[in-house]
Amino acid sequence: MTTLERAEAAEHAMSQELDRVVVKSVIYTSGERDPRVPAPRPPDSGKLYMMGQDPRLPQMPARPTLMDFFKYRFGPANHLLQSARLARKNGLSEEIILACLLHDTGQYLCYADHGYWGAQIVEPYVSERVAFAIRYHQALRFYPDQSVGYSYPEGYLLMFGTDYVPLPHVQAAYTYARNHKWYMDARMVTTNDLYSFDPNVQVDIDEFTDVIGRHFKQPKEGLGNDNTPVSHMWRSMVVPDAPL
Ligand SMILES: [Fe+2]
Ligand SMILES: [Fe+2]
Protein backbone atom coordinates (compact mmCIF):
# COMPACT_ATOMS: atom_id res chain seq x y z
CA MET A 1 0.00 0.00 0.00
CA THR A 2 1.20 3.52 -0.71
CA THR A 3 1.12 6.16 2.01
CA LEU A 4 -1.98 7.65 0.43
CA GLU A 5 -3.73 4.28 0.28
CA ARG A 6 -2.88 3.60 3.92
CA ALA A 7 -4.20 7.02 4.93
CA GLU A 8 -7.37 6.44 2.96
CA ALA A 9 -7.88 2.99 4.46
CA ALA A 10 -7.44 4.40 7.97
CA GLU A 11 -9.83 7.19 7.18
CA HIS A 12 -12.36 4.80 5.70
CA ALA A 13 -12.21 2.68 8.85
CA MET A 14 -12.68 5.80 10.92
CA SER A 15 -15.62 7.03 8.89
CA GLN A 16 -17.25 3.59 9.28
CA GLU A 17 -17.21 4.25 13.01
CA LEU A 18 -18.87 7.62 12.63
CA ASP A 19 -22.57 7.94 12.19
CA ARG A 20 -22.07 9.98 9.08
CA VAL A 21 -19.92 9.79 5.97
CA VAL A 22 -17.12 12.33 5.58
CA VAL A 23 -16.36 13.71 2.13
CA LYS A 24 -13.05 15.50 1.70
CA SER A 25 -12.99 18.87 -0.03
CA VAL A 26 -11.59 18.84 -3.56
CA ILE A 27 -8.72 21.10 -2.54
CA TYR A 28 -7.37 18.36 -0.24
CA THR A 29 -7.41 15.63 -2.86
CA SER A 30 -6.67 17.44 -6.12
CA GLY A 31 -3.11 16.56 -7.09
CA GLU A 32 -3.47 13.08 -5.58
CA ARG A 33 -5.91 12.49 -8.42
CA ASP A 34 -6.85 14.14 -11.71
CA PRO A 35 -9.27 16.90 -10.68
CA ARG A 36 -11.24 16.43 -13.94
CA VAL A 37 -12.28 12.97 -12.82
CA PRO A 38 -15.21 12.96 -10.39
CA ALA A 39 -14.07 12.58 -6.80
CA PRO A 40 -14.61 9.11 -5.40
CA ARG A 41 -17.83 9.10 -3.43
CA PRO A 42 -18.12 7.01 -0.30
CA PRO A 43 -19.78 3.68 -0.91
CA ASP A 44 -23.51 3.72 -0.45
CA SER A 45 -23.57 2.80 3.21
CA GLY A 46 -27.04 4.06 3.93
CA LYS A 47 -25.50 6.74 6.09
CA LEU A 48 -26.04 10.47 5.85
CA TYR A 49 -23.26 12.84 4.92
CA MET A 50 -21.57 14.68 7.74
CA MET A 51 -22.90 18.21 7.97
CA GLY A 52 -22.30 20.71 10.74
CA GLN A 53 -20.06 19.84 13.65
CA ASP A 54 -17.31 17.35 12.76
CA PRO A 55 -17.04 14.79 15.60
CA ARG A 56 -13.36 14.24 14.79
CA LEU A 57 -12.51 17.83 15.69
CA PRO A 58 -12.80 19.68 18.99
CA GLN A 59 -16.09 21.53 19.28
CA MET A 60 -15.90 25.29 18.69
CA PRO A 61 -17.92 27.70 20.83
CA ALA A 62 -21.02 29.16 19.19
CA ARG A 63 -19.34 32.55 18.87
CA PRO A 64 -15.71 31.72 18.22
CA THR A 65 -13.02 34.27 18.98
CA LEU A 66 -9.51 34.45 17.54
CA MET A 67 -8.30 32.84 20.79
CA ASP A 68 -10.70 29.94 20.21
CA PHE A 69 -9.25 29.36 16.76
CA PHE A 70 -5.78 29.28 18.32
CA LYS A 71 -6.99 26.79 20.93
CA TYR A 72 -9.07 24.49 18.73
CA ARG A 73 -7.95 24.86 15.12
CA PHE A 74 -4.50 26.44 14.85
CA GLY A 75 -2.65 23.91 16.94
CA PRO A 76 0.15 23.22 17.20
CA ALA A 77 0.69 26.94 16.93
CA ASN A 78 4.12 26.97 18.50
CA HIS A 79 5.71 28.48 15.42
CA LEU A 80 3.32 31.45 15.48
CA LEU A 81 3.54 31.93 19.24
CA GLN A 82 7.32 31.77 19.32
CA SER A 83 7.59 34.22 16.41
CA ALA A 84 5.33 36.67 18.24
CA ARG A 85 7.31 36.27 21.45
CA LEU A 86 10.55 36.92 19.57
CA ALA A 87 9.07 40.07 18.00
CA ARG A 88 8.10 41.28 21.46
CA LYS A 89 11.56 40.49 22.83
CA ASN A 90 13.06 42.44 19.94
CA GLY A 91 11.04 45.48 20.97
CA LEU A 92 8.83 45.64 17.90
CA SER A 93 5.47 47.41 17.83
CA GLU A 94 2.29 45.67 18.93
CA GLU A 95 1.09 45.63 15.32
CA ILE A 96 4.18 43.73 14.22
CA ILE A 97 3.81 41.35 17.16
CA LEU A 98 0.25 40.69 16.00
CA ALA A 99 1.40 40.24 12.39
CA CYS A 100 3.97 37.68 13.59
CA LEU A 101 1.31 35.92 15.65
CA LEU A 102 -0.97 35.63 12.60
CA HIS A 103 1.55 35.39 9.76
CA ASP A 104 1.03 31.70 8.88
CA THR A 105 -2.62 31.24 9.88
CA GLY A 106 -3.46 31.08 6.15
CA GLN A 107 -1.83 27.65 6.17
CA TYR A 108 -4.73 26.29 8.20
CA LEU A 109 -6.85 26.98 5.16
CA CYS A 110 -4.47 26.37 2.26
CA TYR A 111 -0.70 25.97 1.90
CA ALA A 112 -0.46 27.56 -1.54
CA ASP A 113 -0.08 31.34 -1.31
CA HIS A 114 -0.54 31.20 2.45
CA GLY A 115 0.50 34.84 2.87
CA TYR A 116 -2.44 35.95 0.73
CA TRP A 117 -4.94 33.65 2.41
CA GLY A 118 -3.64 34.65 5.81
CA ALA A 119 -3.86 38.37 5.11
CA GLN A 120 -7.32 38.03 3.61
CA ILE A 121 -8.91 36.15 6.51
CA VAL A 122 -7.87 38.84 8.99
CA GLU A 123 -8.24 41.92 6.80
CA PRO A 124 -11.62 43.07 8.21
CA TYR A 125 -10.29 42.85 11.77
CA VAL A 126 -6.77 44.31 11.69
CA SER A 127 -5.06 47.46 10.40
CA GLU A 128 -4.00 47.66 6.77
CA ARG A 129 -0.39 47.55 7.88
CA VAL A 130 -0.84 44.24 9.70
CA ALA A 131 -2.55 42.71 6.65
CA PHE A 132 0.22 44.05 4.39
CA ALA A 133 2.94 42.55 6.60
CA ILE A 134 1.24 39.15 6.58
CA ARG A 135 0.56 39.15 2.82
CA TYR A 136 4.09 40.07 1.75
CA HIS A 137 6.11 38.07 4.28
CA GLN A 138 5.56 35.10 1.94
CA ALA A 139 7.47 36.70 -0.96
CA LEU A 140 10.05 38.45 1.22
CA ARG A 141 11.11 35.16 2.79
CA PHE A 142 12.84 34.31 -0.49
CA TYR A 143 14.87 37.54 -0.62
CA PRO A 144 17.74 38.45 1.71
CA ASP A 145 18.11 41.89 3.24
CA GLN A 146 21.50 42.23 4.87
CA SER A 147 20.58 45.68 6.27
CA VAL A 148 18.52 43.83 8.90
CA GLY A 149 20.57 40.62 8.95
CA TYR A 150 18.08 38.53 7.01
CA SER A 151 19.59 35.78 4.83
CA TYR A 152 17.93 33.27 2.53
CA PRO A 153 16.63 30.54 4.88
CA GLU A 154 18.80 27.45 5.00
CA GLY A 155 15.63 25.42 5.39
CA TYR A 156 14.45 26.61 1.99
CA LEU A 157 17.62 25.18 0.40
CA LEU A 158 16.75 21.82 1.95
CA MET A 159 13.04 21.99 1.17
CA PHE A 160 13.03 23.52 -2.30
CA GLY A 161 16.53 22.73 -3.60
CA THR A 162 19.51 24.98 -4.21
CA ASP A 163 18.37 26.05 -7.68
CA TYR A 164 14.78 26.97 -6.82
CA VAL A 165 13.62 30.23 -8.39
CA PRO A 166 10.47 31.87 -6.95
CA LEU A 167 7.45 31.97 -9.27
CA PRO A 168 6.86 35.15 -11.30
CA HIS A 169 4.02 36.36 -9.07
CA VAL A 170 6.29 36.01 -6.04
CA GLN A 171 9.05 37.96 -7.80
CA ALA A 172 6.53 40.69 -8.67
CA ALA A 173 5.19 40.76 -5.10
CA TYR A 174 8.74 41.16 -3.79
CA THR A 175 9.44 44.09 -6.11
CA TYR A 176 6.16 45.73 -5.13
CA ALA A 177 6.72 45.24 -1.40
CA ARG A 178 10.38 46.30 -1.59
CA ASN A 179 9.31 49.71 -2.87
CA HIS A 180 6.35 50.11 -0.53
CA LYS A 181 6.35 52.47 2.46
CA TRP A 182 5.45 49.53 4.72
CA TYR A 183 8.23 47.29 3.41
CA MET A 184 9.90 47.09 6.82
CA ASP A 185 6.69 45.86 8.45
CA ALA A 186 6.61 42.81 6.20
CA ARG A 187 10.38 42.45 6.50
CA MET A 188 10.12 42.38 10.31
CA VAL A 189 7.80 39.38 10.04
CA THR A 190 10.50 37.53 8.12
CA THR A 191 13.24 38.39 10.61
CA ASN A 192 11.09 37.04 13.46
CA ASP A 193 9.82 34.05 11.47
CA LEU A 194 11.55 31.46 13.62
CA TYR A 195 12.33 28.65 11.27
CA SER A 196 13.54 26.03 13.67
CA PHE A 197 11.56 26.72 16.78
CA ASP A 198 12.47 25.13 20.07
CA PRO A 199 10.04 22.25 20.76
CA ASN A 200 10.75 22.56 24.48
CA VAL A 201 9.55 26.15 24.69
CA GLN A 202 5.81 26.34 25.19
CA VAL A 203 4.20 29.73 24.66
CA ASP A 204 0.58 30.21 25.59
CA ILE A 205 -1.76 32.29 23.47
CA ASP A 206 -2.85 34.06 26.68
CA GLU A 207 0.50 35.84 26.56
CA PHE A 208 -0.94 37.91 23.71
CA THR A 209 -4.37 38.71 25.13
CA ASP A 210 -3.43 42.39 25.42
CA VAL A 211 -2.10 42.72 21.86
CA ILE A 212 -5.11 40.90 20.39
CA GLY A 213 -7.49 42.97 22.49
CA ARG A 214 -6.01 46.24 21.25
CA HIS A 215 -5.38 45.38 17.60
CA PHE A 216 -7.81 42.66 16.52
CA LYS A 217 -11.44 43.77 16.19
CA GLN A 218 -13.17 40.67 17.45
CA PRO A 219 -16.77 40.58 16.11
CA LYS A 220 -19.32 40.08 18.87
CA GLU A 221 -21.24 37.52 16.76
CA GLY A 222 -18.12 35.36 16.54
CA LEU A 223 -15.74 34.84 13.60
CA GLY A 224 -17.72 33.21 10.83
CA ASN A 225 -21.07 34.60 11.99
CA ASP A 226 -20.36 38.25 11.31
CA ASN A 227 -21.27 38.52 7.63
CA THR A 228 -18.00 40.00 6.34
CA PRO A 229 -16.51 39.11 2.94
CA VAL A 230 -14.35 36.50 4.72
CA SER A 231 -16.81 34.97 7.20
CA HIS A 232 -17.15 31.88 5.01
CA MET A 233 -13.40 31.30 5.31
CA TRP A 234 -13.62 31.12 9.10
CA ARG A 235 -16.64 28.84 8.85
CA SER A 236 -14.63 26.60 6.51
CA MET A 237 -11.97 26.26 9.20
CA VAL A 238 -14.64 25.30 11.74
CA VAL A 239 -15.95 22.49 9.48
CA PRO A 240 -13.26 21.90 6.81
CA ASP A 241 -14.88 18.73 5.46
CA ALA A 242 -18.50 19.86 5.22
CA PRO A 243 -19.67 18.63 1.79
CA LEU A 244 -21.55 21.85 1.06
FE1 LIG B 1 5.01 32.00 6.12
FE1 LIG C 1 6.39 31.29 9.41
Side-chain angles (χ1 to χ4, degrees), residues 165-234:
V165 178
L167 293 169
H169 79 277
V170 174
Q171 295 177 28
Y174 168 68
T175 305
Y176 172 77
R178 186 73 190 84
N179 295 305
H180 197 282
K181 62 182 172 180
W182 293 337
Y183 163 71
M184 255 319 148
D185 292 2
R187 176 51 77 195
M188 286 299 107
V189 174
T190 70
T191 57
N192 291 280
D193 198 343
L194 268 191
Y195 194 70
S196 50
F197 61 87
D198 184 346
N200 298 316
V201 176
Q202 287 299 326
V203 186
D204 199 283
I205 185 63
D206 295 335
E207 207 174 284
F208 302 100
T209 306
D210 52 349
V211 170
I212 292 171
R214 281 193 283 273
H215 300 280
F216 188 91
K217 292 183 221 86
Q218 171 66 44
K220 60 181 185 324
E221 309 89 329
L223 289 162
N225 307 328
D226 52 336
N227 201 25
T228 71
V230 302
S231 294
H232 63 288
M233 296 164 82
W234 292 94

Side-chain angles (χ1 to χ4, degrees), residues 42 66 72 78 102 156 166 169 172 182 185 222 228-229:
L66 180 64
Y72 304 118
N78 237 359
L102 300 174
Y156 279 17
H169 79 277
W182 293 337
D185 292 2
T228 71

Side-chain angles (χ1 to χ4, degrees), residues 103-104 107 114 137 193:
H103 78 278
D104 282 340
Q107 290 188 333
H114 74 283
H137 92 274
D193 198 343

Side-chain angles (χ1 to χ4, degrees), residues 93 132 161:
S93 72
F132 179 93

Side-chain angles (χ1 to χ4, degrees), residues 140 142-152 174 178 183-184 187-188 190-191:
L140 263 49
F142 289 100
Y143 297 90
D145 183 344
Q146 295 314 332
S147 78
V148 289
Y150 180 80
S151 311
Y152 188 84
Y174 168 68
R178 186 73 190 84
Y183 163 71
M184 255 319 148
R187 176 51 77 195
M188 286 299 107
T190 70
T191 57

Side-chain angles (χ1 to χ4, degrees), residues 37 69 79 85 92 106 112 116 119 121 134 153 172 184 217 238 244:
V37 176
F69 275 91
H79 170 63
R85 182 186 268 184
L92 292 163
Y116 293 82
I121 58 174
I134 296 171
M184 255 319 148
K217 292 183 221 86
V238 174
L244 293 177

